[in-house]
Amino acid sequence: MENSISSATGTARPTRVLLFENPNSGGGKDWDTGRFLSAVRGMGIDVRHEVPDGPDACCSLLMEGLSVPS
């Protein structure tokens, strides 16, 4: 698997992720973006954090991510 490293269990885990945040989901409560990003990055995972303004922006970001060589 590209963009992954092996864990102690022998399973692959990602080294890069794209996180879409919807600040309105769930009423925008109980989500600590900074804490989450810090924890994931602390595990050696590169996170690209985006807050798209709608479905078209999500699709554009996904297509952009798919076209970038790893």
Side-chain angles (χ1 to χ4, degrees), residues 10-33:
T11 58
R13 66 181 173 105
T15 57
R16 293 180 6 181
V17 297
L18 171 58
L19 170 67
F20 288 151
E21 179 181 353
N22 177 352
N24 300 313
S25 177
K29 302 176 189 171
D30 301 324
W31 173 252
D32 186 343
T33 304

Side-chain angles (χ1 to χ4, degrees), residues 15 17 19-20 25 27 30 37-38 46 49 58-60 64 69:
T15 57
V17 297
L19 170 67
F20 288 151
S25 177
D30 301 324
L37 292 171
S38 178
D46 178 33
H49 174 226
C58 286
C59 290
S60 294
E64 177 186 316

